[in-house]
Amino acid sequence: MSTEALTPDEVDDLARRAQQGDRDALEALLAAVRPRVLNVCRGVLPHLPDAEDACQDALINIASKIGSWGGRGRFTTWMHVVAVNSARTTYRRMRNQATAADPQQVGPLERPDPRTTSVIAGTRLDLLEAMEAIERDHPQYVEPLLLRDVYGMSYEEIARQVGAPLGTVKAQIHHGRRLARPLLRGDR
């Protein structure tokens, strides 16, 4: 089976076989989804080396956590969430590694210095910082909001992915948007 342009059913079949311990299916699955995972990571981390790091982490997480894919929806929907989470984790790690220019200053910078991290290369920084702020008090809003507004998933796909009723997902996205607006405008 070629790893080029697999149908969603073929990807789901590979994922089921990989869940059952078929190593060849897992390798074929990872090869098939890698371009899509990289695209998801580039949506959050536009600097290619950063996105590639996140992609590699996502593929490792997919391989090690494939048993947690419930099979309710498409494998690619579950994979998408794993990739988003890996990209966000990479962003956090990079932000935390940013160091102050003044060695006397203790702790991470309030805002990463563009000279110390390439994650600043894109326009997603404000969105990621807004999601970080929302996540501190309302973590339940972040995943549905990112899946809808950044990745364009349908409300129905999001409900299946997060395992919540459709009305709950719509409410979480609404409340998440309400919290994000002032953060994105700089009204902190």
Side-chain angles (χ1 to χ4, degrees):
M1 182 184 304
S2 167
T3 59
E4 301 290 321
L6 294 177
T7 67
D9 288 338
E10 290 170 327
V11 171
D12 287 353
D13 180 57
L14 278 175
R16 282 188 202 85
R17 290 180 19 223
Q19 277 185 316
Q20 296 166 356
D22 183 334
R23 301 284 300 165
D24 292 335
L26 179 62
E27 286 182 30
L29 176 68
L30 294 175
V33 300
R34 187 186 188 288
R36 188 167 178 175
V37 169
L38 182 58
N39 283 338
V40 169
C41 293
R42 288 205 69 183
V44 176
L45 301 163
H47 188 67
L48 184 59
D50 301 339
E52 287 173 340
D53 286 348
C55 177
Q56 188 62 31
D57 290 344
L59 293 173
I60 290 168
N61 286 332
I62 289 168
S64 66
K65 298 177 183 177
I66 194 163
S68 67
W69 171 55
R72 290 187 312 259
R74 289 281 181 201
F75 173 79
T76 52
T77 303
W78 177 82
M79 174 215 73
H80 200 102
V81 173
V82 172
V84 168
N85 288 337
S86 292
R88 291 178 63 221
T89 299
T90 298
Y91 164 76
R92 282 187 197 115
R93 183 179 66 242
M94 292 177 70
R95 186 192 64 210
N96 291 337
Q97 288 173 351
T99 56
D102 178 1
Q104 299 299 321
Q105 188 176 351
V106 178
L109 295 173
E110 281 298 311
R111 186 170 179 94
D113 183 338
R115 296 173 307 231
T116 62
T117 177
S118 59
V119 76
I120 310 302
T123 59
R124 303 282 177 166
L125 180 63
D126 290 338
L127 177 61
L128 289 170
E129 287 181 347
M131 292 303 103
E132 293 285 314
I134 292 170
E135 192 168 41
R136 283 191 285 276
D137 295 323
H138 305 284
Q140 72 276 19
Y141 299 157
V142 173
E143 184 176 356
L145 184 60
L146 285 174
L147 293 175
R148 179 68 184 160
D149 289 352
V150 175
Y151 295 100
M153 291 175 67
S154 72
Y155 290 108
E156 293 79 11
E157 285 179 302
I158 297 167
R160 278 194 304 274
Q161 181 58 44
V162 301
L166 183 60
T168 300
V169 166
K170 287 181 177 181
Q172 289 173 331
I173 292 168
H174 169 76
H175 293 303
R177 286 174 177 159
R178 186 175 44 79
L179 291 170
R181 275 186 205 108
L183 296 172
L184 293 172
R185 284 193 309 250
D187 301 347
R188 297 173 204 216

